[in-house]
Amino acid sequence: MDINKIKSGLKTDWLGSKIHYQPSVDSTNSWAARTINSGCGRGEVFLTDFQSKGQGRLDRTWESPSEKNILLSLVDNPPPDTKKTHQLTLIAGIGFLDGLKNIFPETALSLKWPNDIILSGKKLGGILSKHQNNSVVIGVGINVNTTLEDFSPTIRNTAISLKIFSGKEYSREEIIASCLNSYEEWRNIYETKGIEIIIKNWEKRSDIFGKSVKITEPHGSFEGIVEMLDADGFLLVKAPDGIKQVISGDVIPI
Ligand code: BTN
């Protein structure tokens, strides 16, 4: 990973003020969280080429072969109302999707609630945010140059990379710089204009609305039609017994 190449592509004011890199760590999210405990500020970015304990949502693991993909965590401030911290995940979704599209202008790229970056119906990337003291760690994994054989059989049918889709290899550094630029832009928009514009733009980038889905939540599952995001950024799904707000869970098109 060439950190100077990332820095030369940055147009940010505060994001990427400091970029930490190690060839291998347990998880960039855990590494960032430890560093926050010993003093680290908004905008610092943690990057690696390999994670031995990559974390996914809902206690899953995040797998990624060495030196092929983007494994990154950034440190941000929570919004003034810390109950709304999950909204930063939506901003990261828009920011990283737009950043990717600058390098890889594909209409098959979209967002799936709450945090998946989808390419041609398969998972290209994921976002995992976590509160740590007075900061938020936003971890992002994007499959860039993985081949199909690199994926374990359990995710081979559901995961994808830019290389699998296009047959070409991409510069991780260029994508990282573009995504950080775009995240900062959208984060600044949120700061000045609020959540409504974020919700509108998130909805524009997702094709899940109006579709039939199965929602699996920690305490059960149900089926319905995806209506919209509510004012807080949670998913509203029309089920046979009324509109339900989904706060956490998986959304599976049926
Ligand atoms: C998901 O389950 O969709 C979220 C995956 C998030 C993976 C990224 S990779 C960089 C950062 N460090 C981690 O351990 N997880 C996140």
Side-chain angles (χ1 to χ4, degrees):
M1 180 76 69
D2 182 347
I3 303 303
N4 284 329
K5 194 168 168 194
I6 299 174
K7 285 187 178 155
S8 67
L10 283 184
K11 296 180 199 137
T12 52
D13 288 330
W14 53 268
L15 186 52
S17 52
K18 198 165 178 187
I19 299 182
H20 306 261
Y21 167 74
Q22 280 188 47
S24 166
V25 289
D26 49 354
S27 142
T28 55
N29 271 21
S30 310
W31 179 24
R34 288 192 292 273
T35 316
I36 285 171
N37 289 338
S38 56
C40 132
R42 185 186 198 205
E44 294 191 27
V45 172
F46 296 78
L47 275 170
T48 193
D49 283 319
F50 182 73
Q51 299 185 130
S52 55
K53 281 193 186 145
Q55 300 160 10
R57 220 163 50 92
L58 306 172
D59 284 334
R60 295 173 186 141
T61 53
W62 184 258
E63 65 168 75
S64 176
S66 194
E67 292 183 38
K68 296 210 169 174
N69 298 326
I70 293 171
L71 300 165
L72 162 164
S73 298
L74 64 90
V75 175
D76 201 345
N77 291 339
D81 178 356
T82 52
K83 286 201 295 293
K84 300 195 186 298
T85 298
H86 66 277
Q87 294 178 344
L88 297 190
T89 304
L90 300 179
I91 297 168
I94 301 176
F96 278 75
L97 188 86
D98 285 11
L100 257 170
K101 275 195 169 176
N102 285 336
I103 312 285
F104 187 79
E106 221 347 290
T107 48
L109 277 169
S110 65
L111 293 173
K112 180 161 153 261
W113 193 88
N115 59 10
D116 289 353
I117 300 175
I118 301 293
L119 175 59
S120 189
K122 295 188 173 180
K123 184 152 169 164
L124 181 76
I127 300 164
L128 182 66
S129 314
K130 196 180 163 236
H131 240 288
Q132 186 71 23
N133 298 349
N134 294 323
S135 299
V136 185
V137 175
I138 298 175
V140 186
I142 301 175
N143 301 323
V144 179
N145 295 320
T146 326
T147 62
L148 210 49
E149 300 72 50
D150 288 329
F151 286 129
S152 67
T154 41
I155 63 166
R156 213 167 274 165
N157 288 331
T158 51
I160 196 166
S161 72
L162 298 184
K163 180 168 180 177
I164 293 169
F165 183 85
S166 67
K168 292 188 208 139
E169 299 233 337
Y170 291 84
S171 154
R172 291 178 297 160
E173 290 87 346
E174 259 181 57
I175 297 173
I176 291 169
S178 173
C179 288
L180 294 178
N181 290 338
S182 174
Y183 176 88
E184 185 179 294
E185 259 176 55
W186 282 105
R187 181 64 173 87
N188 290 346
I189 290 172
Y190 173 67
E191 190 104 7
T192 51
K193 298 198 171 146
I195 187 66
E196 293 78 13
I197 186 165
I198 300 299
I199 288 178
K200 236 190 255 162
N201 274 279
W202 197 97
E203 286 179 340
K204 252 206 258 173
R205 287 160 180 75
S206 179
D207 52 16
I208 199 78
F209 298 96
K211 299 249 168 84
S212 296
V213 292
K214 178 174 181 184
I215 305 289
T216 55
E217 293 179 302
H219 305 296
S221 66
F222 68 94
E223 291 182 5
I225 295 171
V226 181
E227 291 260 296
M228 60 192 292
L229 296 183
D230 69 13
D232 284 327
F234 294 120
L235 196 68
L236 296 181
V237 177
K238 191 172 176 188
D241 53 344
I243 304 275
K244 295 192 177 178
Q245 186 194 47
V246 185
I247 289 176
S248 138
D250 282 325
V251 180
I252 304 150
I254 48 176

